[in-house]
Amino acid sequence: QKEVEQNSGPLSVPEGAIASLNCTYSDRGSQSFFWYRQYSGKSPELIMSIYSNGDKEDGRFTAQLNKASQYVSLLIRDSQPSDSATYLCAVNAGNMLTFGGGTRLMVKP
Amino acid sequence: GAGVSQSPRYKVAKRGQDVALRCDPISGHVSLFWYQQALGQGPEFLTYFQNEAQLDKSGLPSDRFFAERPEGSVSTLKIQRTQQEDSAVYLCASSLNNYEQYFGPGTRLTVT
């Protein structure tokens, strides 16, 4: 049973809209949570980290964490075609990261 | 500053050959991680070093996989007697604080 779950998508949104990406995890001991962006043929790039319940904003990105519901989300405001990529949710309960399978986002001009 | 570097970027091996993949972490990062990523999936943990000590190798899929970091900087992942199921992208990541991990470009291994 996979410990970090994401909808594989694709999630298609029009340019300028808000993209909402979701992730659930099973290990209640998880302490830190990350979103990585991965363009086709490239390696994962860290875009957001969140450690406590609530929202964390960085530019057009907002990460949301709810430990009681074991739920993490990423909102991308004013989506651009250049945001089209696979977004990986990663959870750290020790040293290693456990990744979800990723959600493919397509932003259409 | 310079990010994580990996070499080679692409490797084609015949089944049964040994391969060695190199990772050069961000300067000053004490933690180094190896992950394996199959097509269409998220990366999966292989092994973890803190300085030169290999603290977790629970993700290595078989005893054909071996990793080392003898001087606490550059690391090498070695795969002996490669099999077709070893074909994947091998990612190296480094971290200053064991929280945020930064990935290198990866090595795409194809076993024919």
Side-chain angles (χ1 to χ4, degrees), chain B residues 40-58:
Chain B
Q41 298 182 23
E44 295 201 350
F45 170 78
L46 294 176
T47 188
Y48 155 61
F49 291 87
Q50 186 166 324
N51 294 306
E52 69 279 1
Q54 188 175 21
L55 298 185
D56 189 342
K57 54 181 181 179
S58 61

Side-chain angles (χ1 to χ4, degrees), chain A residues 32 34 36 38 43-44 46 49 51 88 92 95-97 99-101, chain B residues 33 35 37 40 42-43 45 48 91 98-105:
Chain A
S32 45
F34 307 91
Y36 286 82
Q38 187 170 29
S43 63
L46 180 65
S49 58
Y51 304 102
L88 296 163
N92 188 335
N95 294 305
M96 66 180 186
L97 293 177
F99 285 84
Chain B
F33 305 81
Y35 292 85
Q37 187 173 26
F45 170 78
Y48 155 61
L91 295 164
N98 266 16
Y99 288 102
E100 300 179 343
Q101 296 184 21
Y102 298 92
F103 283 85

Side-chain angles (χ1 to χ4, degrees), chain A residues 6-47:
Chain A
Q6 296 181 255
N7 189 318
S8 62
L11 172 66
S12 182
V13 300
E15 183 175 358
I18 296 175
S20 178
L21 305 159
N22 304 313
C23 171
T24 58
Y25 61 94
S26 60
D27 186 349
R28 285 195 172 274
S30 301
Q31 300 169 350
S32 45
F33 307 85
F34 307 91
W35 285 97
Y36 286 82
R37 177 175 62 197
Q38 187 170 29
Y39 292 113
S40 181
K42 302 295 187 183
S43 63
E45 175 193 5
L46 180 65
I47 55 172

